[in-house]
Amino acid sequence: MAGKTNDDALFQFLLRMGDNSLILGHRVSEWCGLSPVLEEDIALANTALDLIGQTQFWLGLAGEVEGKGRTADDLAFLRDAWDFRNVLMVELPNGDFGQTMMRQFLYDAWSQVMVGRLIKSGDKRIADIAEKASKEVAYHVERSADTVVGLGDGSEESHARMQAAIDYLWPYVGEMFDGDEVDAAMVAAGIAPDPASLREEYDALVNKVLSEATLKVPTDVFHHKGGRTGYMHTEHLGHLLTSMQWLQRAYPGATW
Amino acid sequence: MYAQLVKTAGTGVKTREEMSDEERNFQDRVDRDEKIEPKDWMPDDYRATLIRQIGQHAHSEIVGQLPEGNWITRAPTLERKAILLAKVQDEAGHGLYLYGAAETLGVTRDELTEELLSGRMKYSSIFNYPTLNWADIGAVGWLVDGAAIMNQVPLQRTSYGPYSRAMIRICKEESFHQRQGYDIMMKMAAGNDAQRRMAQDALNRFWYPSLMMFGPSDKDSVHSAQSLAWKIKIDTNDELRQRFVDQTVPQAKYLGLTIPDEHLKWNEDRGAHDFSEPDWTEFFNVIKGKGPCNVERMEARVKAWEDGAWVRDGLMAHARKKTAARTAAE
Ligand SMILES: [Fe+2]
Ligand SMILES: [Fe+2]
Ligand SMILES: [Fe+2]
């Protein structure tokens, strides 16, 4: 039986999972109707839909664990920026289509490794969510990897844009593998893996895809942080929340 | 309807005596409700009219993503966001089926896209109206998809096989679109004062533009008569509009909302509602590019197309490299 402290850590862990998919799903949904080809409009909407579905599970469970009666919607629409626990990478603006797809791949690759571990979580509720998400995630990573390869090893311009995308995003990758006392508590309880332990598998996948894409993986190990701890988000998150939360904030208590 | 004011090619319905053997044979097949397939002989004007009509319909699905997309990032709950995303994703899929149907007539998707972006081809006037509050998303599903269904259900029986089959697939999804819209309206109408005000405001702004979706009265038009004879149009614009009004009035009443038409009343003799015509001057203005959002909608499509050029080129270049590598390996 998990004690109070563990439940706090579990709540934080679930926010991290849910906020990643919520914020990335939101960013991807901004492409609606504006992508380079019709097939991409459909595929991006599909990705956003899956991410929002995963959000409902993660944040739903977070609310349950917290035990204050907050729903997934309450958590999504009524928290301010400092209470969000997503990594910085997912809140960055979309940039061009190449940057969006590069970010998607860098996230999908992490998500695939993570979900693969969570399927074996000691907490059945988490294992179940991971199980449900795993098929979607496998499809996402296959698709985003394909696009990264197609554009990286495409025309001169597409190659240059994809190299610029990885150079820009690379300093945000490291945060996904940072660990703290929340992660230590999850490891101790057999609920979730140590983030650092995902890195080897992740690097193998990313290196393989990026080399197929004829792109250079940056070697700088420096990385930004502050998202998953909530200590310091980017300036972009506040603007994202401003539109996302507007109706709920303007008309408190309404049913939609 | 999504294809409005489609100019029918040709000079009007020919008598049997005026028809060539091929034309007579073709008309007989249409009259027997046989489907015309891509490889079959067909009059040039039939082909040209269908390309216009299906193309306009496809463009409408694509441009139609924009007014609803305007609210995806502001949807008030996770579930509403997911439903709206799924709906808009369907519309993109409809565009895909329809471009596919048009391609069987010998025109490519890229050619049709160029026609849209240059302004030579139109899309439904309805998508040139703004979505200003959340109830607009309800009103679009309820009224706009409702009007689209009204038009598309009969088109499942249209004479051109690929078009008919596209319509059958599309109609399956459209009823979900209308239901989700009406469901939003129910929530809004049963909500607080502000929400009821949003709902009424949305109905006020979308009522007449929805009636315009069926196009102007076509009872005197020779062109329309030809399209009816070819069964690429099944009902007249006025028949469809009447059916739409008769279906919608009780739904509005159930919501407790007022349709913005003081002349609207049940006509016992006709067994139908009398109602006011929309402002056709406004309609023709919108068609000519002077609607509230024409400029924004076209700008958004042109920007998406131009910004995406490097992506399409890059993926093509990659495909060519792959093919070359495969050929070299053989
Ligand atoms: Fe549609
Ligand atoms: Fe539609
Ligand atoms: Fe629809």
Side-chain angles (χ1 to χ4, degrees):
Chain A
M1 183 67 209
K4 178 85 185 86
T5 339
N6 268 349
D7 270 0
D8 280 349
L10 180 56
F11 177 61
Q12 291 298 319
F13 168 77
L14 291 166
L15 289 182
R16 288 171 179 180
M17 293 303 293
D19 289 346
N20 278 343
S21 50
L22 171 65
I23 301 301
L24 184 59
H26 186 93
R27 281 296 186 216
V28 175
S29 78
E30 291 173 0
W31 273 99
C32 174
L34 304 173
S35 75
V37 271
L38 203 39
E39 285 81 354
E40 288 301 334
D41 271 327
I42 295 172
L44 287 171
N46 196 55
T47 301
L49 262 174
D50 288 345
L51 289 168
I52 290 160
Q54 291 167 19
T55 304
Q56 288 173 302
F57 288 124
W58 291 124
L59 292 186
L61 182 54
E64 216 177 290
V65 165
E66 186 195 33
K68 292 182 184 163
R70 287 204 281 182
T71 64
D73 279 340
D74 293 336
L75 290 169
F77 295 95
L78 298 173
R79 276 178 301 154
D80 203 345
W82 55 23
D83 285 332
F84 275 77
R85 295 292 179 263
N86 56 280
V87 293
L88 300 177
M89 187 171 76
V90 297
E91 69 195 44
L92 297 175
N94 286 332
D96 67 9
F97 181 78
Q99 188 179 310
T100 296
M101 292 311 293
M102 182 60 81
R103 177 182 58 195
Q104 192 63 41
F105 169 66
L106 294 170
Y107 174 82
D108 290 342
W110 171 81
S111 186
Q112 187 177 40
V113 181
M114 183 64 165
V115 161
R117 304 284 177 90
L118 290 180
I119 285 178
K120 290 166 249 154
S121 170
D123 187 320
K124 188 172 177 323
R125 299 167 299 181
I126 289 175
D128 286 348
I129 297 174
E131 179 75 49
K132 271 183 235 140
S134 65
K135 280 182 213 79
E136 295 168 356
V137 172
Y139 177 70
H140 294 177
V141 74
E142 192 186 312
R143 250 202 120 263
S144 57
D146 261 9
T147 309
V148 165
V149 170
L151 292 174
D153 184 25
S155 67
E156 213 173 297
E157 181 179 5
S158 73
H159 176 84
R161 283 178 183 260
M162 295 312 277
Q163 187 62 53
I166 184 69
D167 291 346
Y168 170 70
L169 290 167
W170 193 250
Y172 295 95
V173 166
E175 189 186 8
M176 296 189 285
F177 305 95
D178 282 347
D180 61 9
E181 66 285 359
V182 170
D183 300 293
M186 292 301 98
V187 173
I191 291 176
D194 172 10
S197 73
L198 311 178
R199 188 76 206 230
E200 206 184 307
E201 203 180 331
Y202 179 83
D203 281 343
L205 177 56
V206 168
N207 286 332
K208 179 177 151 286
V209 169
L210 291 186
S211 99
E212 211 183 315
T214 69
L215 296 169
K216 278 197 288 294
V217 184
T219 47
D220 195 343
V221 293
F222 163 79
H223 70 262
H224 297 288
K225 51 177 179 274
R228 72 195 299 278
T229 59
Y231 174 69
M232 192 158 65
H233 280 279
T234 67
E235 290 180 345
H236 307 294
L237 181 63
H239 294 283
L240 185 154
L241 297 181
T242 299
S243 44
M244 188 176 89
Q245 299 183 335
W246 177 65
L247 277 175
Q248 291 259 4
R249 299 285 193 181
Y251 303 99
T255 305
W256 305 94
Chain B
M1 86 148 91
Y2 282 177
Q4 37 181 205
L5 269 196
V6 175
K7 199 176 165 304
T8 309
T11 46
V13 185
K14 292 183 182 172
T15 64
R16 285 192 76 78
E17 291 69 48
E18 290 166 333
M19 288 180 188
S20 68
D21 287 350
E22 275 169 325
E23 286 171 333
R24 225 177 346 253
N25 181 35
F26 174 85
Q27 189 61 52
D28 287 344
R29 293 188 59 199
V30 170
D31 292 343
R32 285 196 302 269
D33 281 330
E34 277 176 38
K35 293 289 177 239
I36 307 301
E37 294 300 332
K39 291 212 173 73
D40 299 346
W41 186 88
M42 64 186 81
D44 290 343
D45 291 336
Y46 174 84
R47 182 187 302 272
T49 308
L50 265 178
I51 289 175
R52 269 181 221 154
Q53 182 170 332
I54 300 174
Q56 198 180 110
H57 191 160
H59 297 330
S60 300
E61 302 284 358
I62 302 312
V63 179
Q65 294 181 91
L66 299 172
E68 289 179 289
N70 183 39
W71 278 90
I72 285 181
T73 55
R74 289 177 292 171
T77 67
L78 293 170
E79 194 187 356
R80 288 286 174 210
K81 195 205 278 286
I83 292 172
L84 183 56
L85 258 169
K87 196 246 181 205
V88 178
Q89 184 192 30
D90 281 352
E91 306 298 6
H94 297 172
L96 211 53
Y97 306 157
L98 286 160
Y99 284 127
E103 283 184 325
T104 65
L105 292 160
V107 58
T108 67
R109 200 210 298 182
D110 282 2
E111 284 166 348
L112 288 170
T113 302
E114 296 292 342
E115 297 268 311
L116 169 69
L117 299 183
S118 68
R120 286 191 301 275
M121 275 183 95
K122 304 288 179 208
Y123 53 90
S124 177
S125 58
I126 192 71
F127 301 118
N128 290 311
Y129 289 86
T131 52
L132 302 177
N133 77 55
W134 173 250
D136 286 15
I137 298 307
V140 168
W142 172 35
L143 301 173
V144 176
D145 287 273
I149 294 170
M150 210 41 101
N151 172 52
Q152 290 168 10
V153 164
L155 278 177
Q156 295 179 101
R157 292 181 284 116
T158 189
S159 60
Y160 188 56
Y163 191 23
S164 155
R165 290 188 288 274
M167 281 302 137
I168 291 169
R169 287 177 78 177
I170 288 174
C171 282
K172 280 197 189 118
E173 295 172 352
E174 289 296 351
S175 50
F176 147 67
H177 297 175
Q178 194 187 21
R179 244 180 298 123
Q180 64 88 32
Y182 196 69
D183 188 60
I184 291 176
M185 292 310 278
M186 287 206 296
K187 285 277 178 345
M188 300 299 278
N192 61 31
D193 288 350
Q195 287 175 301
R196 269 194 302 281
R197 185 176 162 199
M198 288 180 212
Q200 185 61 53
D201 178 53
L203 176 57
N204 291 348
R205 281 179 291 103
F206 273 98
W207 175 251
Y208 287 107
S210 300
L211 296 187
M212 291 176 197
M213 285 177 72
F214 300 98
S217 180
D218 53 4
K219 51 183 178 293
D220 317 312
S221 159
V222 258
H223 292 304
S224 199
Q226 176 63 83
S227 283
L228 287 164
W230 280 334
K231 293 188 187 165
I232 56 184
K233 197 178 170 80
I234 307 288
D235 305 275
T236 69
N237 294 349
D238 291 327
E239 284 165 349
L240 292 168
R241 189 168 15 248
Q242 181 70 58
R243 222 178 281 164
F244 176 75
V245 170
D246 291 338
Q247 170 184 290
T248 308
V249 169
Q251 294 171 342
K253 196 168 288 169
Y254 183 79
L255 292 171
L257 299 177
T258 310
I259 289 174
D261 178 1
E262 53 185 42
H263 302 295
L264 181 78
K265 65 168 194 301
W266 178 251
N267 182 326
E268 198 61 60
D269 299 336
R270 290 204 304 123
H273 290 88
D274 292 336
F275 59 93
S276 302
E277 291 277 307
D279 177 353
W280 292 114
T281 312
E282 175 182 317
F283 171 76
F284 285 107
N285 272 330
V286 176
I287 293 285
K288 277 184 250 152
K290 295 174 185 162
C293 300
N294 294 61
V295 173
E296 283 93 336
R297 299 292 184 248
M298 285 311 287
E299 257 175 23
R301 287 314 305 166
V302 169
K303 186 174 187 313
W305 187 247
E306 288 176 355
D307 287 357
W310 72 269
V311 176
R312 297 189 300 274
D313 293 347
L315 293 174
M316 290 290 280
H318 180 73
R320 278 194 302 273
K321 284 184 196 178
K322 283 271 150 197
T323 318
R326 225 175 294 127
T327 321
E330 275 161 17

mmCIF file of all heavy atoms in Angstrom, chain A residues 123-140:
data_model
loop_
_atom_site.group_PDB
_atom_site.id
_atom_site.type_symbol
_atom_site.label_atom_id
_atom_site.label_comp_id
_atom_site.label_asym_id
_atom_site.label_seq_id
_atom_site.Cartn_x
_atom_site.Cartn_y
_atom_site.Cartn_z
ATOM 1 N N ASP A 123 2.449 -1.016 -11.168
ATOM 2 C CA ASP A 123 1.111 -0.455 -10.975
ATOM 3 C C ASP A 123 0.261 -0.824 -12.191
ATOM 4 O O ASP A 123 0.504 -0.346 -13.297
ATOM 5 C CB ASP A 123 1.212 1.071 -10.834
ATOM 6 C CG ASP A 123 -0.116 1.705 -10.459
ATOM 7 O OD1 ASP A 123 -1.158 1.260 -10.997
ATOM 8 O OD2 ASP A 123 -0.116 2.641 -9.620
ATOM 9 N N LYS A 124 -0.728 -1.671 -11.970
ATOM 10 C CA LYS A 124 -1.494 -2.214 -13.084
ATOM 11 C C LYS A 124 -2.185 -1.122 -13.900
ATOM 12 O O LYS A 124 -2.311 -1.215 -15.125
ATOM 13 C CB LYS A 124 -2.521 -3.227 -12.568
ATOM 14 C CG LYS A 124 -3.198 -3.968 -13.710
ATOM 15 C CD LYS A 124 -4.064 -5.111 -13.264
ATOM 16 C CE LYS A 124 -4.792 -5.778 -14.416
ATOM 17 N NZ LYS A 124 -5.261 -4.910 -15.492
ATOM 18 N N ARG A 125 -2.631 -0.067 -13.222
ATOM 19 C CA ARG A 125 -3.325 1.009 -13.940
ATOM 20 C C ARG A 125 -2.388 1.644 -14.969
ATOM 21 O O ARG A 125 -2.786 1.971 -16.088
ATOM 22 C CB ARG A 125 -3.797 2.082 -12.952
ATOM 23 C CG ARG A 125 -4.782 1.558 -11.909
ATOM 24 C CD ARG A 125 -4.980 2.547 -10.788
ATOM 25 N NE ARG A 125 -3.726 2.834 -10.047
ATOM 26 C CZ ARG A 125 -3.638 3.663 -9.007
ATOM 27 N NH1 ARG A 125 -4.711 4.301 -8.576
ATOM 28 N NH2 ARG A 125 -2.482 3.866 -8.402
ATOM 29 N N ILE A 126 -1.135 1.779 -14.586
ATOM 30 C CA ILE A 126 -0.147 2.371 -15.495
ATOM 31 C C ILE A 126 0.218 1.395 -16.604
ATOM 32 O O ILE A 126 0.297 1.778 -17.783
ATOM 33 C CB ILE A 126 1.096 2.819 -14.696
ATOM 34 C CG1 ILE A 126 0.707 4.048 -13.867
ATOM 35 C CG2 ILE A 126 2.279 3.101 -15.616
ATOM 36 C CD1 ILE A 126 1.766 4.537 -12.929
ATOM 37 N N ALA A 127 0.376 0.146 -16.245
ATOM 38 C CA ALA A 127 0.677 -0.869 -17.261
ATOM 39 C C ALA A 127 -0.439 -0.923 -18.307
ATOM 40 O O ALA A 127 -0.181 -1.052 -19.500
ATOM 41 C CB ALA A 127 0.861 -2.232 -16.602
ATOM 42 N N ASP A 128 -1.675 -0.795 -17.854
ATOM 43 C CA ASP A 128 -2.815 -0.835 -18.786
ATOM 44 C C ASP A 128 -2.802 0.347 -19.759
ATOM 45 O O ASP A 128 -3.051 0.189 -20.951
ATOM 46 C CB ASP A 128 -4.146 -0.841 -18.021
ATOM 47 C CG ASP A 128 -4.416 -2.193 -17.370
ATOM 48 O OD1 ASP A 128 -3.697 -3.156 -17.707
ATOM 49 O OD2 ASP A 128 -5.342 -2.280 -16.528
ATOM 50 N N ILE A 129 -2.535 1.541 -19.235
ATOM 51 C CA ILE A 129 -2.480 2.723 -20.110
ATOM 52 C C ILE A 129 -1.346 2.554 -21.125
ATOM 53 O O ILE A 129 -1.509 2.811 -22.321
ATOM 54 C CB ILE A 129 -2.284 4.018 -19.292
ATOM 55 C CG1 ILE A 129 -3.482 4.243 -18.357
ATOM 56 C CG2 ILE A 129 -2.108 5.217 -20.228
ATOM 57 C CD1 ILE A 129 -3.309 5.430 -17.407
ATOM 58 N N ALA A 130 -0.202 2.092 -20.626
ATOM 59 C CA ALA A 130 0.950 1.902 -21.514
ATOM 60 C C ALA A 130 0.633 0.885 -22.606
ATOM 61 O O ALA A 130 0.974 1.075 -23.772
ATOM 62 C CB ALA A 130 2.165 1.450 -20.701
ATOM 63 N N GLU A 131 -0.043 -0.161 -22.207
ATOM 64 C CA GLU A 131 -0.434 -1.198 -23.165
ATOM 65 C C GLU A 131 -1.299 -0.594 -24.272
ATOM 66 O O GLU A 131 -1.073 -0.801 -25.463
ATOM 67 C CB GLU A 131 -1.210 -2.297 -22.413
ATOM 68 C CG GLU A 131 -1.713 -3.435 -23.259
ATOM 69 C CD GLU A 131 -0.588 -4.385 -23.660
ATOM 70 O OE1 GLU A 131 0.178 -4.795 -22.759
ATOM 71 O OE2 GLU A 131 -0.471 -4.694 -24.863
ATOM 72 N N LYS A 132 -2.290 0.195 -23.856
ATOM 73 C CA LYS A 132 -3.187 0.827 -24.838
ATOM 74 C C LYS A 132 -2.417 1.787 -25.742
ATOM 75 O O LYS A 132 -2.687 1.867 -26.934
ATOM 76 C CB LYS A 132 -4.302 1.603 -24.110
ATOM 77 C CG LYS A 132 -5.519 0.736 -23.813
ATOM 78 C CD LYS A 132 -6.625 1.575 -23.169
ATOM 79 C CE LYS A 132 -7.043 0.957 -21.867
ATOM 80 N NZ LYS A 132 -7.335 1.760 -20.739
ATOM 81 N N ALA A 133 -1.488 2.534 -25.153
ATOM 82 C CA ALA A 133 -0.773 3.547 -25.932
ATOM 83 C C ALA A 133 0.262 2.928 -26.872
ATOM 84 O O ALA A 133 0.634 3.527 -27.881
ATOM 85 C CB ALA A 133 -0.086 4.537 -24.988
ATOM 86 N N SER A 134 0.710 1.714 -26.549
ATOM 87 C CA SER A 134 1.889 1.187 -27.250
ATOM 88 C C SER A 134 1.662 1.021 -28.756
ATOM 89 O O SER A 134 2.563 1.284 -29.548
ATOM 90 C CB SER A 134 2.343 -0.130 -26.612
ATOM 91 O OG SER A 134 1.347 -1.115 -26.798
ATOM 92 N N LYS A 135 0.481 0.605 -29.149
ATOM 93 C CA LYS A 135 0.236 0.419 -30.586
ATOM 94 C C LYS A 135 0.267 1.764 -31.307
ATOM 95 O O LYS A 135 0.823 1.891 -32.392
ATOM 96 C CB LYS A 135 -1.112 -0.264 -30.814
ATOM 97 C CG LYS A 135 -1.059 -1.768 -30.600
ATOM 98 C CD LYS A 135 -2.402 -2.423 -30.881
ATOM 99 C CE LYS A 135 -2.632 -3.622 -29.994
ATOM 100 N NZ LYS A 135 -3.080 -3.272 -28.609
ATOM 101 N N GLU A 136 -0.353 2.764 -30.685
ATOM 102 C CA GLU A 136 -0.353 4.103 -31.284
ATOM 103 C C GLU A 136 1.069 4.629 -31.409
ATOM 104 O O GLU A 136 1.466 5.168 -32.444
ATOM 105 C CB GLU A 136 -1.173 5.070 -30.411
ATOM 106 C CG GLU A 136 -2.657 4.729 -30.344
ATOM 107 C CD GLU A 136 -3.403 5.502 -29.250
ATOM 108 O OE1 GLU A 136 -2.773 6.251 -28.474
ATOM 109 O OE2 GLU A 136 -4.635 5.338 -29.173
ATOM 110 N N VAL A 137 1.819 4.472 -30.327
ATOM 111 C CA VAL A 137 3.180 5.007 -30.304
ATOM 112 C C VAL A 137 4.049 4.328 -31.364
ATOM 113 O O VAL A 137 4.832 4.983 -32.058
ATOM 114 C CB VAL A 137 3.790 4.849 -28.894
ATOM 115 C CG1 VAL A 137 5.260 5.225 -28.897
ATOM 116 C CG2 VAL A 137 3.026 5.706 -27.890
ATOM 117 N N ALA A 138 3.889 3.017 -31.518
ATOM 118 C CA ALA A 138 4.668 2.290 -32.528
ATOM 119 C C ALA A 138 4.374 2.848 -33.919
ATOM 120 O O ALA A 138 5.271 3.022 -34.742
ATOM 121 C CB ALA A 138 4.342 0.801 -32.474
ATOM 122 N N TYR A 139 3.096 3.143 -34.155
ATOM 123 C CA TYR A 139 2.714 3.704 -35.453
ATOM 124 C C TYR A 139 3.274 5.119 -35.627
ATOM 125 O O TYR A 139 3.793 5.463 -36.684
ATOM 126 C CB TYR A 139 1.186 3.685 -35.578
ATOM 127 C CG TYR A 139 0.698 4.304 -36.856
ATOM 128 C CD1 TYR A 139 0.914 3.662 -38.086
ATOM 129 C CD2 TYR A 139 0.049 5.533 -36.865
ATOM 130 C CE1 TYR A 139 0.490 4.238 -39.271
ATOM 131 C CE2 TYR A 139 -0.373 6.116 -38.047
ATOM 132 C CZ TYR A 139 -0.162 5.455 -39.245
ATOM 133 O OH TYR A 139 -0.570 6.037 -40.417
ATOM 134 N N HIS A 140 3.198 5.910 -34.566
ATOM 135 C CA HIS A 140 3.713 7.291 -34.661
ATOM 136 C C HIS A 140 5.199 7.307 -35.003
ATOM 137 O O HIS A 140 5.637 8.070 -35.849
ATOM 138 C CB HIS A 140 3.530 8.038 -33.329
ATOM 139 C CG HIS A 140 2.097 8.273 -32.961
ATOM 140 N ND1 HIS A 140 1.727 8.863 -31.786
ATOM 141 C CD2 HIS A 140 0.950 8.013 -33.615
ATOM 142 C CE1 HIS A 140 0.405 8.941 -31.715
ATOM 143 N NE2 HIS A 140 -0.084 8.429 -32.819
#
